[in-house]
Amino acid sequence: MELIHTPKATPPAGHYSQAVRANGFVFVSGQLGFLPPAAPGERPALAAGAAGQTREALRSVAAILEAAGSSLAAVVSVTVYVPDVALWEEVNLAYEEGFGGHRPARAVVPTRGLHYGALVEISVIALSEVTNRS
């Protein structure tokens, strides 16, 4: 098992790793839609709106996967948490932008609320090595 960390993504705010590589997969912890911090050690701000937060969460996921030698194209499963299903259309459009034609398995989980008042949280499981897919 290998712990993955990159300064290009939001640092963990608790007792967890950004991701763990194990048994040929990368398990990325839930990422909120934070903008990159302005200075080291500074808590970043959430992006505006559900679409903005979805884009930023996927940016963090992509940076973590890159640090693990993987990519969004290698994602096999996604879990998206939203505090209000009324946000789903906005989240889904930004999600589609992020993944393009790639369509991993996905679950959408409505929640009572997310940490820091976030509007979206995204966790993924990806293949640990990017391979050519024809």
Side-chain angles (χ1 to χ4, degrees):
M1 182 171 82
E2 177 188 357
L3 304 181
I4 306 298
H5 175 78
T6 178
K8 294 180 180 179
T10 305
H15 189 71
Y16 62 93
S17 297
Q18 287 173 324
V20 174
R21 182 185 1 240
N23 297 324
F25 292 95
V26 179
F27 301 85
V28 179
S29 295
Q31 299 297 303
L32 300 178
F34 285 117
L35 296 166
E42 183 178 307
R43 173 174 279 156
L46 287 166
Q53 288 184 30
T54 300
R55 288 183 193 98
E56 290 301 319
L58 287 174
R59 179 195 55 75
S60 281
V61 166
I64 293 164
L65 289 171
E66 181 181 310
S70 189
S71 73
L72 288 176
V75 171
V76 296
S77 181
V78 180
T79 304
V80 181
Y81 302 92
V82 291
D84 184 348
V85 292
L87 298 170
W88 183 242
E89 185 175 346
E90 185 179 353
V91 169
N92 194 49
L93 287 172
Y95 175 96
E96 186 178 344
E97 286 174 17
F99 278 101
H102 182 50
R103 293 177 179 247
R106 179 178 75 186
V108 178
V109 182
T111 66
R112 292 182 69 128
L114 294 170
H115 208 52
Y116 303 112
L119 300 174
V120 65
E121 181 173 349
I122 299 174
S123 64
V124 307
I125 300 170
L127 298 173
S128 67
E129 295 181 13
V130 178
T131 58
N132 289 334
R133 292 183 248 313
S134 305

